[in-house]
Amino acid sequence: MTESVVTAPPEASIAEVAGLMRDRNVGSVVICEGGRPVALITDRDVALTIAADGVESSERVGSYATHPVVTGQLGMDLEEAAAMMIQHRIRRLPLMEGDELAGIVTLDDLAVRSGDLELAHQMTAEVAKAALPEFFFHQRGG
């Protein structure tokens, strides 16, 4: 888990959030309102959804972030976090401690933590297949 979660308000511009990603070397920013996570935006969202569609970088990020955001609880089991990520087709899971954002765990974090390379590959494949079924089952004939 990464404890220092990069956050931004829904009113932040796309350019501001992209700058945060660059400057903090992260692939996602949790959008918070009143200290609580309400959405999440990734570098992939910025590149493929926003930039590819010609959205102005001055627009508010809140309209383009994924919401509602799925969160887990600090201290949850590795298997429970992995199952939640697969079920919801997500690669990043913000973790809460009560009402406070405590950190974020990524699919890569879970794979490294497990220490099992085969399990890591399986977890990554499961999330990718769940998130991109058309790619895996149509275009690739799987």
Side-chain angles (χ1 to χ4, degrees), residues 97-114:
E97 185 170 33
D99 289 339
E100 299 289 320
L101 182 61
I104 191 166
V105 66
T106 68
L107 189 61
D108 293 338
D109 293 336
L110 295 181
V112 168
R113 174 76 189 245
S114 75

Side-chain angles (χ1 to χ4, degrees), residues 26-142:
V26 296
S28 64
V29 173
V30 178
I31 307 303
C32 291
E33 200 165 34
R36 298 205 29 96
V38 294
L40 186 127
I41 191 157
T42 67
D43 49 2
R44 183 175 175 86
D45 295 329
V46 172
L48 300 181
T49 304
I50 296 169
D53 290 343
V55 175
E56 293 292 324
S57 63
S58 60
E59 287 201 39
R60 292 172 32 154
V61 73
S63 303
Y64 298 95
T66 301
H67 62 281
V69 66
V70 175
T71 61
Q73 289 298 314
L74 191 64
M76 66 191 312
D77 292 337
L78 176 102
E79 294 82 11
E80 185 181 1
M84 183 178 271
M85 294 169 88
I86 290 168
Q87 175 188 357
H88 293 283
R89 304 176 193 158
I90 56 175
R91 295 181 54 86
R92 296 163 177 89
L93 182 67
L95 297 176
M96 305 294 291
E97 185 170 33
D99 289 339
E100 299 289 320
L101 182 61
I104 191 166
V105 66
T106 68
L107 189 61
D108 293 338
D109 293 336
L110 295 181
V112 168
R113 174 76 189 245
S114 75
D116 182 337
L117 186 57
E118 188 173 320
L119 176 62
H121 287 295
Q122 180 183 354
M123 288 168 39
T124 301
E126 289 296 321
V127 169
K129 285 179 187 177
L132 303 166
E134 296 84 17
F135 176 76
F136 279 90
F137 298 111
H138 274 299
Q139 295 178 4
R140 297 184 78 195

